[in-house]
């Protein structure tokens, strides 16, 4: 429907309420002659008279009355749709704070680019989340949405898209006897003191990021606990333990003293998009859709 047609319908609706060309023109901010012109154009499209006008009165024709009854709900629905889109557009203004753990994945980078193209008036701020506190920044409102390592079992958070499934690697000092292996099995992890995560992270989440026993039942020595990935890599470089990481994070933290050896037979790590159940906004939903589309 062109803009002119919408204006013709608006003129008819207002005129049907006022039954006076002058008052209709005042409401539409146009001249009385312009109202007459819009009405004639609409009647020409319809092919019949909708309003009878004489020197003494203005009245709807029977066809005009039927047309009005059909048009009013349709026009109200159209206005509601436009108002909804406008409200959504206003909700996309401002800044979306996005938290992430470790290194930004290719999926996240693509989602950020797509989001920027779709919503150029909404800025983004990317904030690194400590390894030891994956859910706290979202729960405290420090970020609006976050990309975190799974699992996620917090009742006050929503788990959105799950993506970036990656094989796990073991970060180990390059002088360790098994550092030269092309790959390791889960049973080989019993030969390493695995660095774990300390801090406020839930116990179920911390246990998922490390092993305390191999699938075959061999105990895995417990290494020191860390609060950030950087701390973990520093301990590995100092020969004080080994650490399980996903492949992109290993690539991101590459350094001469550390070898990253693939571990076959372990479940792949996965990232998930999370946000607070009570703070879901238009911006949050839009970024969630961008992540889904980028995947």
């Amino acid at each position: 429907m062109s803009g002119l047609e919408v204006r013709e319908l608006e003129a008819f609706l207002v005129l049907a309420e006022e039954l006076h060309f002058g008052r209709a023109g005042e409401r539409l901010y146009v001249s009385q002659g312009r109202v007459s012109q819009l009405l004639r154009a609409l009647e020409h499209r319809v092919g019949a008279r909708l309003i009878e006008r004489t020197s003494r009165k203005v009245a709807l024709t029977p066809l005009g009355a039927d047309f009005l009854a059909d048009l009013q709900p349709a026009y109200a629905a159209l206005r509601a749709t436009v108002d909804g889109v406008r409200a959504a557009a206003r909700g996309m203004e401002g800044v979306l704070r996005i938290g992430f753990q470790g290194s930004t994945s290719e999926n996240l980078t693509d989602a950020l680019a797509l989001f920027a193209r779709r919503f150029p008036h909404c800025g983004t701020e990317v904030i690194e989340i400590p390894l030891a506190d994956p859910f706290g920044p979202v729960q405290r409102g420090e970020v609006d949405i976050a990309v975190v390592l799974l699992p996620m079992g917090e009742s006050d958070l929503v788990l959105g898209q799950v993506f970036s499934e990656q094989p796990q690697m073991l970060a180990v000092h390059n002088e360790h006897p098994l550092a030269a292996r092309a790959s390791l099995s889960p049973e080989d992890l019993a030969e390493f003191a695995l660095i774990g995560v300390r801090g406020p992270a839930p116990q179920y989440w911390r246990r998922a990021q490390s092993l305390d026993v191999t699938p075959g039942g061999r105990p895995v020595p417990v290494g020191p606990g860390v609060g950030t990935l950087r701390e973990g890599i520093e301990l590995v470089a100092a020969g004080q333990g080994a650490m399980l990481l996903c492949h992109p994070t290993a690539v991101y933290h590459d350094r001469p003293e550390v070898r990253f050896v693939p571990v076959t037979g372990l479940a792949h790590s996965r990232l998930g998009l999370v946000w607070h159940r009570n703070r879901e906004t238009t911006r949050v939903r839009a970024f969630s859709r961008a992540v889904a589309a980028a995947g």
Side-chain angles (χ1 to χ4, degrees):
M1 185 181 293
S2 70
L4 178 60
E5 290 169 326
V6 171
R7 196 62 170 158
E8 291 168 6
L9 295 176
E10 289 176 341
F12 171 74
L13 288 168
V14 173
L15 188 56
E17 290 181 14
E18 297 291 344
L19 295 178
H20 189 281
F21 281 83
R23 290 194 298 270
E26 290 175 2
R27 283 181 55 182
L28 294 167
Y29 300 100
V30 298
S31 67
Q32 180 174 326
R34 178 60 176 156
V35 176
S36 296
Q37 184 184 31
L38 290 169
L39 178 62
R40 285 196 302 271
L42 179 61
E43 289 178 332
H44 177 73
R45 293 180 194 279
V46 172
R49 296 290 290 262
L50 300 174
I51 289 182
E52 293 288 355
R53 54 270 207 204
T54 68
S55 59
R56 303 187 62 178
K57 71 172 184 175
V58 176
L60 290 168
T61 66
L63 182 62
D66 291 341
F67 184 58
L68 177 64
D70 291 338
L71 177 61
Q72 282 178 321
Y75 185 77
L78 175 62
R79 287 295 301 269
T81 299
V82 172
D83 290 344
V85 172
R86 284 175 177 166
R90 287 194 296 270
M92 290 307 302
E93 297 173 353
V95 176
L96 180 68
R97 300 165 302 166
I98 305 165
F100 73 98
Q101 279 191 308
S103 59
T104 55
S105 69
E106 182 179 349
N107 184 276
L108 178 59
T109 302
D110 292 344
L112 286 166
L114 178 59
F115 184 81
R117 291 195 300 272
R118 287 179 172 177
F119 308 103
H121 299 297
C122 182
T124 54
E125 182 180 357
V126 180
I127 302 166
E128 186 171 3
I129 290 178
L131 180 66
D133 194 15
F135 311 122
V138 181
Q139 292 168 323
R140 295 188 295 270
E142 296 167 5
V143 297
D144 303 304
I145 195 167
V147 177
V148 298
L149 283 165
L150 298 180
M152 196 291 289
E154 305 304 291
S155 61
D156 57 341
L157 302 184
V158 175
L159 176 61
Q161 280 69 33
V162 175
F163 58 96
S164 194
E165 186 169 315
Q166 297 286 343
Q168 298 205 58
M169 307 189 80
L170 188 70
V172 59
H173 192 276
N174 59 13
E175 294 184 358
H176 190 280
L178 298 183
R181 295 269 295 271
S183 65
L184 299 170
S185 74
E187 298 304 315
D188 292 324
L189 298 181
E191 305 297 325
F192 302 88
L194 284 190
I195 296 170
V197 181
R198 56 171 166 76
Q203 185 176 12
Y204 73 84
W205 187 89
R206 286 188 276 117
R207 288 176 63 88
Q209 310 311 319
S210 185
L211 290 180
D212 53 8
V213 63
T214 70
R218 300 177 64 194
V220 177
V222 178
V226 297
T228 67
L229 279 170
R230 188 169 289 106
E231 290 175 13
I233 296 297
E234 291 296 334
L235 288 178
V236 173
Q240 297 184 33
M243 191 173 188
L244 284 169
L245 303 170
C246 68
H247 181 264
T249 302
V251 172
Y252 183 79
H253 289 279
D254 188 29
R255 55 186 297 172
E257 307 96 325
V258 179
R259 281 269 298 163
F260 297 96
V261 186
V263 182
T264 60
L266 280 184
H268 287 190
S269 70
R270 298 183 302 161
L271 296 176
L273 196 64
V274 301
W275 59 89
H276 199 281
R277 192 174 300 279
N278 297 331
R279 291 194 288 270
E280 183 175 314
T281 65
T282 302
R283 291 190 293 269
V284 165
R285 290 191 293 270
F287 186 73
S288 176
R289 290 193 294 270
V291 171

